[in-house]
Amino acid sequence: MGTAFAIGLVFIGCCSNVVSLELLVREFPGCGNIVTFAQFLFIGLEGLIFESNFGRKKPAIPIRNYVIMVTMFFAVSVINNYALNFNIAMPLHMIFRSGSLIANMIMGIIILKKRHSASKYLSIALVTAGIFICTVMSARQVNVASEGSEEQGFYTLVRWLIGIAMLTFALLMSARMGIFQETLYKQYGKHSKEALFYNHCLPLPGFLLLASDIYNHGVYFSQSTPVEIPQVGLTVPIMWIYLLINVITQYVCIRGVFILTTECTSLTVTLVVTLRKFLSLIFSILYFQNPFSTWHWVGTAVVFVGTLLYTEVLSSVWAALRGPAVKQKKAE
């Protein structure tokens, strides 16, 4: 029951979160900072009450380690959302972030001196190829979509390249944070919910640096189309409703992943998250009619095949299919 419940939270929460985020970004492409702040504030307050007991519970992992982790986590979250300001389409954004397997493996080889099987390296090649295909095709669409003078087209392409650079940096930083977190868990034990709280609570003062942008978008949100809430009779601007939905679904998504890590193996968790990303991508393309060519589909398929190969799901399925046949042959 716990596993099924957690999987339900992941799919419902994360897919709904992608939809609400795209609704926000389509209206105000530069709203990434206010969205990130609202998510951090909500999860931080929830953790303060239920995990930290208003600061009375001593953390199992020393705060100084959380400060390092939080600095990386804050940078990754802000940069990922802020990249949407630079002509990065939501499907490309999701596909690019699916390359976390590559980044994690590269960082593991460099920092932890890890070595992997041939299938793992093949998965890296597939995911890299898939992201490369989607990136190149999106670059062509940016050039085609650029209207006006040649100078304006060049400016649009430069902004897009800056967005790609930001996503690349965030991908590598996220992988480095994962290795750091893995090292901490080996030393102090697994405390995922505690880490979730501190990762969202400690960065909150950092949003003071973004206060002006957050305030401006708060004003924009308040000026959006008012919608009356049924049975309550209260009129609220539609963008604030979208933001509330995004914050709640983000919490449900993260909470579902946390429960899943306590109920299942890492292989199952990775598979569920991978399938969730794929369904979110498909829904985003079909529902919002995002431009997606045949080559984009090819790149997407290669990314997810590479991801499944990395998690050894394909080999596990093959072994499971061969199992009954082998047993029957032995019985004969």
Side-chain angles (χ1 to χ4, degrees), residues 9-21 24 34-44 46 73 76-78 80-81 93 97 196 199-200 242-258 276 280:
L9 288 181
V10 171
F11 276 94
I12 294 172
C14 297
C15 291
S16 302
N17 183 259
V18 169
V19 174
S20 60
L21 179 60
L24 289 163
I34 191 173
V35 172
T36 306
F37 172 69
Q39 293 172 353
F40 275 53
L41 182 63
F42 181 85
I43 297 175
E46 188 275 341
F73 184 72
V76 169
S77 298
V78 171
N80 268 325
N81 282 331
H93 190 271
R97 293 179 69 176
L196 178 66
N199 280 343
H200 287 82
Y242 289 158
L243 182 62
L244 177 63
I245 294 172
N246 180 267
V247 167
I248 294 174
T249 53
Q250 174 73 1
Y251 174 76
V252 171
C253 175
I254 292 179
R255 182 67 178 148
V257 172
F258 167 74
R276 191 277 303 170
S280 297

Side-chain angles (χ1 to χ4, degrees), residues 83-234:
L84 294 170
N85 296 6
F86 293 83
N87 299 335
I88 300 295
M90 186 61 73
L92 178 60
H93 190 271
M94 288 188 286
I95 292 170
F96 210 95
R97 293 179 69 176
S98 296
S100 56
L101 288 174
I102 312 169
N104 282 324
M105 182 173 284
I106 291 173
M107 286 295 183
I109 292 172
I110 296 173
I111 298 173
L112 302 179
K113 310 299 181 184
K114 287 185 176 180
R115 293 295 178 266
H116 302 279
S117 63
S119 64
K120 299 291 189 193
Y121 292 115
L122 177 59
S123 71
I124 287 181
L126 288 173
V127 175
T128 303
I131 291 178
F132 178 77
I133 291 170
C134 290
T135 303
V136 170
M137 295 309 298
S138 294
R140 292 181 60 185
Q141 286 181 348
V142 168
N143 285 330
V144 172
S146 298
E147 297 179 356
S149 66
E150 183 178 340
E151 183 178 348
Q152 289 175 325
F154 176 76
Y155 175 72
T156 301
L157 181 59
V158 169
R159 283 181 58 84
W160 180 83
L161 290 174
I162 293 173
I164 291 296
M166 293 172 70
L167 289 178
T168 302
F169 175 81
L171 198 64
L172 294 174
M173 179 66 75
S174 178
R176 181 65 186 89
M177 182 183 71
I179 291 175
F180 181 72
Q181 191 170 359
E182 181 182 335
T183 305
L184 288 181
Y185 284 167
K186 285 181 180 179
Q187 184 176 355
Y188 298 101
K190 292 188 176 182
H191 303 280
S192 301
K193 194 173 182 183
E194 179 184 287
L196 178 66
F197 163 61
Y198 283 105
N199 280 343
H200 287 82
C201 182
L202 292 180
L204 287 175
F207 284 100
L208 291 173
L209 300 173
L210 309 171
S212 176
D213 181 72
I214 292 172
Y215 174 79
N216 290 336
H217 278 89
V219 173
Y220 297 151
F221 281 17
S222 298
Q223 295 172 349
S224 61
T225 305
V227 175
E228 184 176 347
I229 301 177
Q231 307 301 327
V232 180
L234 184 66

